[in-house]
Amino acid sequence: MNLIIDQGNASSKVAIFREGRLEASFVYKQFDAGVVASLFEKYGFTRGILSSVIDIDPELVNYLEDNLSRFVWLDETVPVPVTIDYQTPQTLGKDRLAAIVGAHYLRPGCDLLVIDAGTAITYELVDKTGTFLGGNISPGMTTRFKALHAFTKKLPLLAETPDIPLMGKSTAEAIRAGVVNGIVYEMDGYIDALRKKYPGLLVFLTGGHSFYFERRLKNSIFADINLVLTGLNRILEYNVEI
């Protein structure tokens, strides 16, 4: 049984995989060796992987190293089952890398675009050989709402709503329509442009806001909120295999 830990700035996602299938997942605001110990009491973990964008807790790492027969601490030196054609692999975000691996694992032999709609929106291009050809980063939806409020004197801080007009008839509507529709056109624009070069391109949409945008895109996509966790599990399995 595999323990998958994805530590972000605001929370930590934990997943349990058994024989390649996601069995359970949890989100923690506070995550440490004590939390892991309680999980070990319930699940018989033998292998695990830790991906983190924050400072590593030595006590947590020591616990995992002591209690797992195989432990992978993900960094740029860890072997992965894709080819990375990127000038600065050491700066490639671990969540971006895991999403790339997850998409290629789920749809091998296909040209892929992976869109992760979170705090930032990332776009990753993977060709059918499993080579990561590069990607782009732009502000996410919440980030855009906050930026409009922070860098203007009178615009209020807003958030998305279920219904968004094409053109706003109030300042609040104009902000929401501008942010949400701008992201939709951005995503569809990337998909349209890349499909001219890669006609069979498949698109994965993941991240905290993936389901919000899924029904708004005109292009067909696969929405998978667990793509990063799937990719981390695949990286772990790959390192067990080699």
Side-chain angles (χ1 to χ4, degrees), residues 153-192:
K153 292 186 179 296
K154 294 186 177 181
L155 293 183
L157 177 60
L158 301 175
E160 70 276 11
T161 56
D163 297 318
I164 301 294
L166 180 61
M167 303 297 290
K169 290 189 176 182
S170 68
T171 298
E173 279 192 351
I175 293 171
R176 291 191 174 100
V179 169
V180 172
N181 292 332
I183 291 173
V184 170
Y185 298 145
E186 176 182 299
M187 290 180 178
D188 274 327
Y190 275 115
I191 296 170
D192 288 342

Side-chain angles (χ1 to χ4, degrees), residues 70-82:
R70 185 61 183 271
F71 171 61
V72 174
W73 180 359
L74 184 60
D75 62 17
E76 68 275 9
T77 68
V78 171
V80 294
V82 293

Side-chain angles (χ1 to χ4, degrees), residues 1 21 34 58 62 72-73 85 97 106 123 159 174 187 192 223 235:
M1 188 177 294
R21 295 184 178 182
N62 289 338
V72 174
W73 180 359
D85 185 11
L97 175 60
L106 294 174
Y123 301 86
M187 290 180 178
D192 288 342
I235 293 171

